[in-house]
Each structure stands twice: as structure tokens, then as C-alpha cells.
């Protein structure tokens, strides 16, 4: 490849952008190569290829096929080094699988066992890569940080929902006790319990946006989730049992026979060897049956777990929800950074002082209005007053 230029296209085939020409072409022959994912929804995340000292020998794309997306999909992503290590490990396994086609036939028991283990590892790696189930190892520190951030987001969400509920309740009480609605005949119809409850509910839902509703099929979903988890555990047990039987069969096969297996053999030796081989064949057949049963249990359990998840309500994936949780995650990380710089005791003492003098630090609606009026009288601009004082 003498030079290269990238051009992107929309799903309908419309040309979008072109990159500069990288390299120095010295021959008039040009060729256009179209590369893409298996689906139109696949996302380009990187390049893959090989280079020499003076030229690029091969080039490919690394596409991300999104099978499931949640509100937190992009919150705790692995580093580029870990992602590269996972991809390199996958391709190493694929290369080992390709080498099996060119390796001589295994003769000894050790070679057969090594070949069998390698084939199983390659098949498992390919299955995990196909499903997107690459195992990313996280350190204990990373685990604690990420779990701490998630717990902080849950706390913030709880506070925001509680704050919205308090404001909706305050609105309902003010409408019910409002003298303007009581003595103004044109507004009397607003002072009805149905109207007030409807307005308070609308106000609460507008403040606590993206609130997940109460599940309608909780019992059915919990039963499916439990049964599916039990089936997945049973699949793991069956696979462990199959591995134990396979290792036992290989160990028995490696043991020396008490009868002759080569040369001149008696009918008794042939009978013993035939029974021995039949027993080994039965064990290997049982191992294969256990693995098939384990795969079926795993597939059925995963299907039941997915059905349970489909029955449960989910957080909205619209833009407002993404922005809300992204801002809360950024706030949690800022708080953690400030705690690391100032110490946790600083924020603990501050919170305790606020909680201990709650009546003096949190203003009621009337106190807030009086404060705003006094600030106006002093010539303070409205834009300088915190937004929460207006609601």
C-alpha cells in the first residue's frame, strides 16, 4: 500500500467525509476498498493491520457490534491498554486455532490432551468474542472506585426524587390552602382535590424526570430470574463434572496396562484391551453429553434471565436521561477528588453542621421570597440569585 485515503459513508451510501492522503503514491493505479461491519449499527472503534519499515502491508477495521445498550454503557469503560490486550489475546487464540490445521497428527497421550485443551480454549474464546462476553479483569482499587461512584449516583438520585416529591407536596398544600383560590369565583374550580392531585403529580413527574415506574410483573420476573440463575449454576456444575471426568479418563489412559497391548497377545489380552477402550469411549461420550447438557442449560437459563429483564421497567435512554446521569457521575467524581484533596472529615463536619441546624439553613418559601425581595431592594441582579430560590 503506497498511500491511503479514508472516506466515510452514511448508511444510505451518501459520501460524508474524506481524510487527507497519507503516504506518497508513485504509481497511477488506484483502488477503492469498502470496509464495514456486519450491521449498519456497528461502530468503528479502531484499525488493525501490519507494517514494515517503509510501507503498510495490511489494514483492517475494528468494529463494535452493539447487542445491548444501557444508560451506563459508556460510564466505566476499560482503558485503551486493557482493550488492546483483550483484542490481542483474542487474535492470538485465533492464530493458535489456525495453526492446528497445519500441525501433524497427535500421537502420544500428552499431545492429544494438549491439542484438545487448545481446541477447547479457542472455541470458548471465539464464542465469547461472538457474544461480546470478553472478561475484563479489574483491580480491587478500580472495583472500589467504580462501585463507590455508582452508589453516589444512587444517593443523588434518591435526594433528587425526594426533593421533587417535597416540592410537589408543597404545591398541593399551597393550592389547597390558597385564599386566592378560595375567594375568587373564577378560580374556584381549581380548588378541587382531583385537579390539585393531577397538577401535583404532573409537577412531580416533570421534576423527577426519567423516573422508572413500579414493575407490574415483579413476582413473575423474580421467579424467572431465580430459575434462570439456578439453570446457569447447574450448567457450570455440569461443565466442571465433565472436566473432572475427562481428566480422569486421560489419567487412566496414561497409566501402564497390566496386559500386553502390542506384539503377540492372548485372547484374554485382546478382551481386556477391548473392554478398556470401550470404557474410555463411554467416558468420553459421557463428557460430551454433559457438555451438551451444560450448554443447553446455560442457553435456557440466559433466555429466562433475559425474559425476566424484559418484564422489568427500564431507565429511559433518551438524551435527557443520558445528560442527567452523566452530570451526576461527573459530580460524584468531583466529590471523590475533593475528598481526596481536603479529606473526608471536612465534608462530614460540613454536612453534620447543616443537618444539626436544618431549620436555620434551609429557607421556607416565604423566607425565600422575602430574601429575594430584599436583594431586589439592594439592587442585586436576578441572574445572580441561585435558581433554586425561584422554585
Amino acid at each position: 500500500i503506497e498511500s491511503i485515503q479514508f472516506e466515510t459513508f452514511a448508511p444510505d451510501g451518501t459520501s460524508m467525509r474524506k481524510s487527507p492522503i497519507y503516504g506518497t503514491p508513485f504509481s497511477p493505479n488506484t483502488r477503492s476498498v469498502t470496509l464495514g461491519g456486519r450491521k449498519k449499527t456497528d461502530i468503528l472503534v479502531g484499525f488493525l493491520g501490519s507494517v514494515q519499515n517503509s510501507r503498510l502491508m495490511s489494514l483492517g477495521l475494528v468494529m463494535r457490534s452493539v447487542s445491548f445498550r444501557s444508560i451506563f454503557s459508556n460510564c466505566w469503560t476499560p482503558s485503551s491498554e486493557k482493550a488492546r490486550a483483550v483484542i490481542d489475546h483474542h487474535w492470538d487464540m485465533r492464530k493458535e486455532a489456525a495453526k492446528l490445521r497445519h500441525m501433524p497428527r497427535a500421537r502420544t497421550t500428552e499431545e492429544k490432551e494438549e491439542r484438545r485443551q487448545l481446541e477447547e480454549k479457542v472455541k470458548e474464546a471465539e464464542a465469547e468474542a461472538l457474544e461480546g462476553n470478553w472478561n475484563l479483569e479489574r483491580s480491587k482499587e478500580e472495583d472500589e472506585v467504580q462501585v463507590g461512584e455508582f452508589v453516589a449516583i444512587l444517593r443523588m438520585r434518591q435526594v433528587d426524587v425526594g426533593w421533587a416529591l417535597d416540592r410537589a407536596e408543597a404545591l398541593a398544600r399551597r393550592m389547597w390552602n390558597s385564599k386566592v383560590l378560595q375567594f375568587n369565583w373564577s378560580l374556584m374550580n381549581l380548588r378541587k382535590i382531583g385537579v390539585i392531585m393531577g397538577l401535583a403529580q404532573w409537577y412531580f413527574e416533570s421534576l423527577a424526570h426519567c423516573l422508572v415506574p413500579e414493575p407490574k410483573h415483579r413476582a413473575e420476573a423474580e421467579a424467572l430470574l431465580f430459575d434462570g440463575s439456578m439453570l446457569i449454576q447447574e450448567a457450570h456444575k455440569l461443565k466442571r463434572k465433565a472436566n473432572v471426568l475427562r481428566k480422569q479418563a486421560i489419567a487412566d489412559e496414561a497409566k501402564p496396562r497390566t496386559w500386553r497391548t502390542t506384539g503377540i497377545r492372548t485372547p484374554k489380552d485382546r478382551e481386556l484391551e477391548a473392554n478398556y477402550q470401550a470404557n474410555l469411549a463411554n467416558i468420553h461420550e459421557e463428557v460430551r453429553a454433559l457438555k451438551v447438557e451444560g450448554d443447553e442449560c446455560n442457553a435456557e437459563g440466559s433466555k429466562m434471565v433475559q425474559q425476566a429483564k424484559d418484564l422489568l421497567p427500564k431507565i429511559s435512554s433518551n438524551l435527557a436521561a443520558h445528560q442527567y446521569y452523566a452530570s451526576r457521575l461527573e459530580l460524584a467524581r468531583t466529590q471523590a477528588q475533593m475528598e481526596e484533596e481536603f479529606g473526608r472529615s471536612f465534608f462530614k463536619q460540613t454536612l453534620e453542621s447543616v443537618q444539626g441546624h436544618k431549620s436555620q439553613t434551609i429557607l421556607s418559601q416565604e423566607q425565600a421570597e422575602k430574601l429575594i425581595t430584599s436583594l431586589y431592594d439592594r439592587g442585586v441582579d436576578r441572574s445572580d440569585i441561585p435558581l433554586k430560590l425561584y422554585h
Side-chain angles (χ1 to χ4, degrees):
I1 301 176
E2 303 166 2
S3 63
I4 191 169
Q5 182 183 30
F6 299 102
E7 183 178 5
T8 58
F9 295 88
D12 59 356
T14 305
S15 178
M16 297 177 62
R17 293 183 300 173
K18 287 185 179 181
S19 72
I21 298 178
Y22 299 100
T24 305
F26 52 83
S27 60
N29 299 326
T30 60
R31 187 174 62 170
S32 176
V33 179
T34 303
L35 300 176
R38 293 178 297 177
K39 304 176 184 177
K40 291 183 178 180
T41 55
D42 290 351
I43 304 172
L44 173 63
V45 295
F47 295 96
L48 192 69
S50 60
V51 295
Q52 288 185 350
N53 294 333
S54 58
R55 65 173 55 193
L56 179 67
M57 301 303 297
S58 62
L59 182 67
L61 302 180
V62 180
M63 307 295 294
R64 176 184 296 156
S65 180
V66 181
S67 57
F68 174 76
R69 180 179 295 170
S70 69
I71 198 74
F72 298 108
S73 294
N74 300 323
C75 292
W76 296 285
T77 55
S79 62
S80 58
E81 293 78 10
K82 287 190 176 181
R84 173 56 59 184
V86 170
I87 295 176
D88 290 343
H89 174 69
H90 169 68
W91 284 106
D92 290 340
M93 298 300 293
R94 297 293 294 270
K95 290 177 183 178
E96 293 294 334
K99 289 181 181 178
L100 290 175
R101 303 187 185 97
H102 306 286
M103 291 179 64
R105 184 177 179 181
R107 299 182 180 277
T108 64
T109 305
E110 291 77 9
E111 291 179 354
K112 292 180 180 179
E113 170 61 13
E114 183 180 357
R115 190 75 56 83
R116 188 181 294 111
Q117 290 181 359
L118 184 58
E119 289 177 354
E120 290 181 357
K121 288 182 180 179
V122 169
K123 289 180 180 178
E124 291 177 359
E126 290 180 346
E128 290 177 357
L130 188 62
E131 298 176 1
N133 296 330
W134 283 335
N135 294 322
L136 295 174
E137 296 183 358
R138 295 184 300 180
S139 63
K140 185 178 179 180
E141 292 76 13
E142 290 177 335
D143 215 4
E144 291 178 353
V145 169
Q146 294 175 7
V147 172
E149 290 174 352
F150 183 68
V151 171
I153 291 174
L154 294 181
R155 290 200 194 102
M156 295 178 197
R157 183 58 175 161
Q158 183 180 8
V159 170
D160 290 342
V161 173
W163 172 70
L165 185 61
D166 292 341
R167 291 184 62 182
E169 182 182 355
L171 173 66
R173 291 182 181 277
R174 290 180 63 192
M175 290 183 66
W176 183 255
N177 298 323
S178 174
K179 295 181 180 180
V180 176
L181 299 181
Q182 289 180 15
F183 300 109
N184 190 334
W185 291 102
S186 62
L187 301 177
M188 282 287 291
N189 290 331
L190 294 177
R191 193 174 175 271
K192 293 182 178 180
I193 190 65
V195 175
I196 293 175
M197 289 180 63
L199 286 173
Q201 184 177 1
W202 167 82
Y203 189 48
F204 170 73
E205 291 178 353
S206 64
L207 293 174
H209 59 86
C210 309
L211 189 64
V212 178
E214 185 70 18
K216 298 179 180 179
H217 309 282
R218 178 190 294 272
E220 184 181 356
E222 289 178 350
L224 278 173
L225 189 61
F226 177 78
D227 294 340
S229 301
M230 295 302 294
L231 277 177
I232 293 175
Q233 291 182 9
E234 184 65 22
H236 292 325
K237 291 180 181 178
L238 290 173
K239 289 184 178 181
R240 286 196 297 267
K241 183 178 179 181
N243 290 330
V244 170
L245 287 176
R246 182 176 58 82
K247 291 180 180 179
Q248 182 181 355
I250 293 170
D252 293 341
E253 190 176 2
K255 292 180 180 178
R257 313 286 202 273
T258 58
W259 58 87
R260 295 179 62 88
T261 57
T262 58
I264 301 175
R265 296 182 294 170
T266 64
K268 183 65 175 178
D269 294 338
R270 293 189 179 92
E271 182 181 358
L272 290 173
E273 181 64 21
N275 294 335
Y276 175 77
Q277 295 296 334
N279 186 32
L280 285 178
N282 292 333
I283 293 176
H284 287 299
E285 184 64 29
E286 184 180 0
V287 168
R288 284 191 290 270
L290 287 173
K291 287 189 174 182
V292 171
E293 186 180 357
D295 293 337
E296 292 176 354
C297 287
N298 190 33
E300 184 66 22
S302 301
K303 183 179 178 181
M304 295 175 69
V305 169
Q306 187 59 43
Q307 290 177 354
K309 292 180 179 179
D310 293 338
L311 289 175
L312 295 174
K314 298 173 180 59
I315 301 176
S316 175
S317 59
N318 55 26
L319 180 60
H322 278 278
Q323 291 176 341
Y324 172 82
Y325 285 102
S327 64
R328 295 304 180 269
L329 177 60
E330 185 65 26
L331 183 59
R333 289 174 176 171
T334 303
Q335 178 184 352
Q337 184 179 1
M338 293 177 68
E339 286 181 352
E340 186 177 354
E341 294 178 358
F342 295 98
R344 297 179 64 90
S345 59
F346 174 80
F347 293 95
K348 185 177 179 180
Q349 294 173 1
T350 304
L351 291 175
E352 288 178 351
S353 63
V354 171
Q355 293 172 358
H357 303 81
K358 186 175 181 180
S359 60
Q360 301 177 9
T361 55
I362 300 179
L363 300 179
S364 64
Q365 185 67 24
E366 296 179 358
Q367 292 173 333
E369 291 177 355
K370 291 181 180 179
L371 175 61
I372 293 174
T373 304
S374 64
L375 291 175
Y376 281 158
D377 296 338
R378 296 177 185 178
V380 178
D381 187 11
R382 182 185 179 94
S383 60
D384 296 332
I385 303 175
L387 183 61
K388 287 188 177 182
L389 291 180
Y390 291 112
H391 301 287

